[in-house]
Amino acid sequence: MTDPRRRIPRTDHLLAAPSIAAAATRLGERRVRGAVAAAQEAARRGELAPEDVAGAVERELAGASPASLRPVLNATGVVVHTNLGRAPLSAAAVAALVDAAGYTDVELDLGTGARSKRGVAARAALLAACPAAEEALVVNNGAAALVLATTALAAGREVVISRGELIEIGAGFRLPDLIASTGARLREVGTTNRTHARDYAEAIGPETGCVLKVHPSNFRVEGFTADVPLAELRAVCGDVPLVMDLGSGLLAADPALPGEPDAASALAAGADVVTASGDKLLGGPQAGILLGRAELVSRLAKHPLARAVRADKLVLAALEATVGGPEAPVLASLHADPEDLHRRAERLAARVGGTVVPHDGRVGGGGAPGVPLPGWAVRLPESLAAPLRAGDPPVLPRLSDGACLLDLRCVPEEADATVAEAVLACTS
Ligand SMILES: *Cc1c(COP(=O)(O)O)cnc(C)c1O
């Protein structure tokens, strides 16, 4: 009898099979060769019949994606979820991003054929959305915006900042370290809980490059506290530039988030430059946004570091479409009507069981710590969390008090049925 291993199909035969060749076009040759080699190896070990090798390769490649990041349904109720990539893009932003993916006129005036300035349309959209700003600049992320501002204004000099605002922004990154890395010296004023105008006044002098006010976006100090409002700080600063790091990226005040600072109000109160993230409450792609006085923002734009932190064309396209387009998903989730959330939770519970319980959503890493977003969740046994995460598509619930809570605030309503099917797949 011949060795069955001799019947294992050869690599060139497998690669020529129409469905496998099509997968190579979609996924790339290397990926397909890997799947072919793995299936042949399984057949050599006797784990797969030689006749099944082609089918195994086809099955392996059928569901494969060219990149490994997977879409996740966010059922945590946390709107800006750092581990889930912060803001989901609107359909308009996704379309703009796809349009910009090939050759695109990012630095070309198609009318004259001459070179044009990068990012003009994103800049115009930001200025239209925030008329209080004279000039706008988009960079890689919020941290880059802050580094650019402090480098250009204060390298070799001092950045005056309150001790109450020396925050860690997440994953171990600390703002004071970031600023120190630019070559600026931190001049800390006040105390953790209380900083007064006179503390700033005493510190500002010939060595001051800028005064920095940071919105402590991920925690709140309560009790015996004092903080200097921007307008008062403006008066103390004199000619020294006043930079405000907003973090969240709200361009205008949002009634759902009282107390959350926004660019328009900060500029009106006297900030010369505000810095913010594009992918928090603005609801766009990862980006850093600088808005403010024309003379200062233009100075930052001309600094050599601006080139190292410049925004990519995909980001510029998605940001323009977010700022000038329909309501971003982040804002839709933030403003979700509790009655609607209740109705959707009831409908989900009717299909999958569990009980509907009140559940507060949260803004998340993006800001407004401690501000509850009243809503509802379906309460299920905690043991469902792991299979839900491992499902297809993965569903991320909130774990609380030994239960698995499904909050539909950040799930598009058209995906409610998918969440229900995911739960049923885990329970049946
Ligand atoms: C999030 C945040 C940053 C960092 O912005 P990234 O876009 O994450 O780089 C800086 N400062 C504050 C106050 C923030 O909230």
Side-chain angles (χ1 to χ4, degrees), residues 218-241:
N218 47 13
F219 76 104
R220 260 199 325 200
V221 192
E222 283 181 65
F224 186 54
T225 64
D227 158 61
V228 185
L230 270 178
E232 203 179 324
L233 191 51
R234 169 73 273 160
V236 174
C237 285
D239 293 339
V240 172

Side-chain angles (χ1 to χ4, degrees), residues 215 230 244-253 257-266 281 368:
H215 172 56
L230 270 178
M244 166 93 202
D245 176 15
L246 290 175
S248 74
L250 275 187
L251 295 181
L257 300 173
E260 181 68 17
D262 64 278
S265 311
L281 293 174

